[in-house]
Amino acid sequence: MLLGRKQLLINGEWRDAASGAVMPVVNPATEEVIAEVASATRDDLDATVAAAREALAGPWGKMSARERGRLIWKLGERLMEKVDEVARLETLHNGKPISESRHVEIPMAAECLQYFAGWADKIQGDTIPVKGNALVYTLREPLGVVAAIVPWNFPLLLAMWKVAPALATGNTVILKPASQTPLTALAVGQLAIDVGFPPGVFNVLTGSGSTLGQLIVEHPGIDKIAFTGDTSTGRGIMKTAADTIKHITLELGGKSPNIVFPDADLDAAVRGATVGIFYGKGEVCAAGSRLLVDKSIKDQFIAKVAERTKKMVAGDPLDPKTRLGAISSKSQLERVLNYVEIAKSEGASLVAGGSRTDIGTGKGYFMQPTVFADVTPAMTVAREEIFGPVLAAIEFADVDEAIARANDSIYGLAAVVWTRDIKKAHYVASKLKAGTVWVNTYNVYDTAAPFGGYKQSGFGREMSRYALDYYTQVKTVWVDLS
Ligand code: NAD
């Protein structure tokens, strides 16, 4: 085993699970077990919640906001010092190209910490004019213990989107990474110890979603669940969290439309269509998985997308030149290939890819990037989130039909408009039911810009000052001055 055995981070200490249980971590590019992590259950969770609550009342709760910010900043700084090491871990357990981990994901995670570090001493309330002789003011206080439950596609970035604002606003955190990708969360746990976070402030528990995840959502000592994952898991979390009236934010699935009008810069739109779906192997919640193309340009446009797609070849994720890595797990590869079969059986035309592939090693969960044409809005491939490198191209007749088809989904995470007509761009952006609309670009993010869903893509916003509202509660103080 390349990386050995990893423990739980509870109260500033590394511990085995109370039960002694462990889970394997597999490198999807080689199918080898690269590490074992502790599998936490109720006893471990109880100890962690007790430590997180004690920290709230202890040095963390008493620390000045500016000092808190300084520590979070240092954590971001230390993460960038270790970027090569952490990026390698991210690629080893997820299968994404090292170019994505090293130059995009981990730097964005560090930037997120430093962005929110800057907010720590700028969280303030209001004074409110009221009738009568009273001083009324508000305080924005932390919620308490926040549990961050995250998926396997951007393991560290999605964790930091939650951990950074939670810590900046004075909460303590229990981070539960996905069972497939626990290594980078644990690595950052060690960095938090190194930079001097008090015990109990940042805890990392590894374990399965159905046992540990479920126990976290049920636990009465946890005040908030910040969740990213599948819409069906989010539904279950919402129901379970009702029993203890927990705060929740849910960042869920997507089926984002990429709308191409005939007056667009079509070469840029072709690049956007392929990057929009194949970046991160399509395991991206905001992936542009539905390509909506005006029927007057449909044939030529899809031919160009297919041509570009066929040139994309999967490679060793650790090779800096690789742009398409391994699907994250065997079960995910099987799921995606099953959708390919469903699309064929429902009458979609396969114009690129469609099969499992390998990189010359005979190992690893690699898949060809795949494009389907002649997809109709009713087909499964147009409706369900596949979460893999599969693009479904659908035609539209005019602007109104483009908008109607784009909005014809239970999801509403992101959408894209390609046009040179500025009026059309703003008009369509205003009509799309999505939390993010990109115009003439795709997949751009910045920590200062909010991100989150409409409809069944969830609620709450990550990044930006909007996120702060989801980690604080407002106390109103009335002082009688009569
Ligand atoms: P998942 O829902 O299976 O798992 C997500 C996390 O929840 C994991 O840590 C898992 O262990 C845990 N979990 C599973 N069952 C649980 C339960 N009953 N109670 C509590 N926790 C539980 O999702 P996944 O397959 O890891 O991730 C893919 C999904 O994430 C896709 O649907 C994707 O669109 C979504 N996603 C959304 C965003 C966004 O910002 N909207 C970003 C990335 C991924």
Side-chain angles (χ1 to χ4, degrees):
M1 235 183 327
L2 187 64
L3 300 167
R5 188 147 169 198
K6 308 281 173 192
Q7 296 172 299
L8 309 169
L9 177 56
I10 302 174
N11 204 21
E13 290 170 358
W14 292 106
R15 300 187 196 168
D16 286 330
S19 68
V22 293
M23 314 182 301
V25 181
V26 174
N27 177 348
T30 61
E31 304 179 37
E32 283 163 356
V33 174
I34 50 170
E36 267 178 359
V37 294
S39 182
T41 53
R42 185 181 300 275
D43 290 344
D44 308 296
L45 179 61
D46 285 344
T48 312
V49 172
R53 298 217 76 84
E54 211 176 304
L56 281 172
W60 184 245
K62 292 180 186 139
M63 190 180 283
S64 75
R66 190 154 303 158
E67 186 54 28
R68 216 165 57 216
R70 224 175 263 142
L71 263 182
I72 300 166
W73 179 273
K74 267 203 231 165
L75 183 59
E77 202 167 51
R78 189 60 63 92
L79 178 56
M80 272 319 279
E81 285 164 19
K82 300 276 180 189
V83 62
D84 290 323
E85 204 177 297
V86 179
R88 187 163 183 275
L89 287 178
E90 197 76 315
T91 285
L92 284 174
H93 64 186
N94 169 280
K96 67 176 65 190
I98 191 72
S99 58
E100 293 182 12
S101 309
R102 170 62 185 83
H103 299 293
V104 184
E105 188 187 343
I106 308 304
M108 279 176 78
E111 184 187 271
C112 180
L113 284 164
Q114 296 194 321
Y115 172 85
F116 281 106
W119 272 112
D121 61 358
K122 298 167 195 71
I123 314 288
Q124 51 196 32
D126 299 307
T127 51
I128 300 173
V130 293
K131 61 179 185 285
N133 195 1
L135 167 65
V136 177
Y137 61 93
T138 56
L139 298 169
R140 289 177 73 189
E141 298 188 339
L143 298 174
V145 178
V146 171
I149 302 181
V150 295
W152 43 259
N153 60 329
F154 289 87
L156 193 64
L157 181 61
L158 298 177
M160 292 307 115
W161 281 6
K162 297 161 181 61
V163 170
L167 293 177
T169 46
N171 300 279
T172 55
V173 172
I174 301 170
L175 169 60
K176 194 205 92 57
S179 37
Q180 300 88 334
T181 54
L183 301 175
T184 43
L186 294 167
V188 169
Q190 181 59 48
L191 301 184
I193 297 176
D194 295 346
V195 300
F197 273 86
V201 175
F202 180 49
N203 308 277
V204 185
L205 291 185
T206 48
S208 86
S210 53
T211 51
L212 177 62
Q214 183 71 24
L215 288 168
I216 288 174
V217 182
E218 288 168 3
H219 205 291
I222 293 174
D223 301 287
K224 167 173 175 140
I225 305 293
F227 174 76
T228 296
D230 197 69
T231 292
S232 63
T233 315
R235 258 182 224 121
I237 286 178
M238 203 165 168
K239 284 183 191 150
T240 307
D243 290 339
T244 45
I245 315 286
K246 280 187 178 57
H247 294 256
I248 51 174
T249 39
L250 300 175
E251 298 290 349
L252 308 174
K255 191 76 193 174
S256 300
N258 202 339
I259 309 169
V260 183
F261 290 105
D263 58 9
D265 172 345
L266 293 180
D267 289 335
V270 167
R271 282 195 300 278
T274 49
V275 171
I277 183 66
F278 300 130
Y279 184 86
K281 314 157 259 165
E283 294 165 346
V284 178
C285 53
S289 51
R290 286 185 296 150
L291 178 63
L292 302 186
V293 195
D294 186 285
K295 70 177 176 196
S296 67
I297 55 160
K298 181 191 75 170
D299 291 339
Q300 91 191 70
F301 190 84
I302 293 171
K304 281 190 179 178
V305 169
E307 187 187 314
R308 202 176 155 85
T309 301
K310 285 177 191 161
K311 289 187 188 141
M312 295 186 71
V313 179
D316 175 0
L318 287 173
D319 181 339
K321 293 193 289 299
T322 295
R323 293 292 174 270
L324 190 68
I327 302 295
S328 293
S329 63
K330 184 165 186 267
S331 61
Q332 187 62 14
L333 175 68
E334 286 165 358
R335 186 183 135 91
V336 178
L337 289 171
N338 187 43
Y339 273 111
V340 170
E341 292 313 310
I342 293 172
K344 286 192 222 163
S345 72
E346 290 182 0
S349 312
L350 182 64
V351 294
S355 305
R356 185 173 182 169
T357 182
D358 86 280
I359 58 168
T361 57
K363 291 277 180 193
Y365 310 127
F366 294 93
M367 182 176 166
Q368 296 173 324
T370 299
V371 180
F372 280 102
D374 305 318
V375 175
T376 63
M379 287 182 188
T380 307
V381 76
R383 308 204 71 76
E384 295 187 13
E385 184 184 45
I386 297 173
F387 220 55
V390 179
L391 182 63
I394 303 165
E395 66 170 37
F396 63 81
D398 55 27
V399 173
D400 289 340
E401 191 173 60
I403 294 166
R405 292 199 161 173
N407 288 337
D408 179 18
S409 172
I410 61 165
Y411 298 111
L413 195 55
V416 182
V417 187
W418 296 92
T419 177
R420 286 192 174 101
D421 178 339
I422 192 161
K423 277 193 189 168
K424 194 193 289 174
H426 287 289
Y427 173 73
V428 175
S430 75
K431 296 290 174 194
L432 291 171
K433 303 286 181 221
T436 296
V437 177
W438 286 294
V439 177
N440 295 334
T441 185
Y442 209 104
N443 261 344
V444 282
Y445 300 86
D446 190 289
T447 319
F451 182 75
Y454 274 31
K455 301 195 274 183
Q456 293 190 36
S457 289
F459 51 82
R461 287 295 175 269
E462 303 214 270
M463 304 190 285
S464 80
R465 68 180 167 77
Y466 292 88
L468 300 168
D469 292 342
Y470 298 100
Y471 293 91
T472 51
Q473 51 196 340
V474 175
K475 179 181 281 172
T476 309
V477 181
W478 286 75
V479 182
D480 179 24
L481 299 178
S482 62

